[in-house]
Amino acid sequence: METLVQAAHAVVGVDVTATEGARSAETLGRERSGSGVVIGPDGLILTIGYLLLEADSIQVTTHDNRTLPARAVAYDLATGFGLLRPLLPLRGITPVPLGSPGQTSTSEPLMAAVGGDGIGVAMTQLVSRRAFSGYWEYHIEGALFTSPPMRNHSGAPLFNQRGELLGIGSLFVGDALGDNGRVPGNMFVPVDLLKPILAEMQATGSTLKSRRPWLGISSTEQGGRVQIVRVSQDSPAAAAGLAPGDVVLAIDGTSVSTLEALYKALWAHPSPEEEVLLTVLQGAQIRQLTVKPVDRMTTMRRPAGI
């Protein structure tokens, strides 16, 4: 119990205001709130990266209601992790150790914690571990799915009974069990994905794997087909003539029926700006459209410090 109390004390609230005109405000809003957790002796905080996108100001609130200004340190597009650091020393907080999600069983009770004004903890349970493909051109292996779900999941840390950090909260899902039924829960990005890139993130503000092609589409899988539901303004997809309702049938001549297949074929291109050929169903017509992707990291206003 003492280790869990110590872990909970390392959780902070994270409040962010994005820069004026930030592209990410279109989907995330300018004012964002979530959580983070101290993982380094110098006050380094791990959170979910979308909170930090194009940040103009960042504040963290500790468990004892101290509010400190902070700066963004890194954002990894590939995993979704974000790092930040307070501008003033954090005192009386012990950094949490990184655990091993792969060794966590579905029978083990876990603790998720929220910082800031809504500080609190909730007991939950790992119900599945699998690859996850997000509609926003995102894919990771070994995502952690827990149930029952918690509110304010953005950046919330997930701990085992030893107070070790297992993952960082990303989103609410309605299918925590995957194909085994509609069970609400949360998806956590596992810290196993952080360990190999933590040093690179601190040194460069990102990772090489984050430098990859981006189209600017949001898509879903429906009946073994990938259907576009949203096209970002001023994106490569918009410039190429893609629109909501279009069905992506193939990329560079290779058929795709899942988001994972689409993303992996796209990211296999060695250059973020290399042209790709999409075969799409638009209405009743099959068309081939040439799209020139961009490096997503170059389209965003960079937070101060990154």
Side-chain angles (χ1 to χ4, degrees), residues 50-102:
Y50 59 71
L51 291 176
L52 308 182
L53 288 180
E54 303 176 293
D56 180 56
S57 66
I58 305 173
Q59 287 190 325
V60 297
T61 303
T62 63
H63 72 280
D64 52 359
N65 292 318
R66 288 177 292 155
T67 299
L68 306 170
R71 67 176 182 88
V73 173
Y75 169 56
D76 179 44
L77 179 69
T79 60
F81 285 125
L83 296 174
L84 58 101
R85 184 177 284 115
L87 298 180
L88 299 173
L90 284 177
R91 304 188 189 281
I93 295 179
T94 302
V96 300
L98 303 185
S100 299

Side-chain angles (χ1 to χ4, degrees), residues 38-45 85 89-91 93-96 198 202:
V38 179
I39 63 169
D42 59 351
L44 186 69
I45 294 169
R85 184 177 284 115
L90 284 177
R91 304 188 189 281
I93 295 179
T94 302
V96 300
L198 181 56
Q202 293 187 80

